[in-house]
Amino acid sequence: MQSQAVYILLALLSAIMMGTIGVFAKYAALPAEQITFFRLLLGSLFLIK
């Protein structure tokens, strides 16, 4: 039962992080291509680990 709570917490954390991408994009002053590249790079690194 506790492992299910951990997965729910991780899902909520990922949803919050995905929701804040607009804030980071606004203040980063980088092109959309670079923001997308690094976002996908970090995501793939987390999935590999």
Side-chain angles (χ1 to χ4, degrees):
M1 197 56 117
Q2 187 175 1
S3 64
Q4 185 179 7
V6 171
Y7 292 130
I8 292 172
L9 180 65
L10 289 174
L12 288 173
L13 182 63
S14 66
I16 290 169
M17 291 175 72
M18 286 294 290
T20 60
I21 193 66
V23 176
F24 290 127
K26 183 176 181 180
Y27 293 112
L30 293 172
E33 295 85 9
Q34 284 185 349
I35 293 171
T36 304
F37 172 76
F38 287 115
R39 183 174 149 205
L40 293 175
L41 178 69
L42 285 174
S44 64
L45 289 176
F46 282 121
L47 286 175
I48 290 172
K49 186 123 171 126

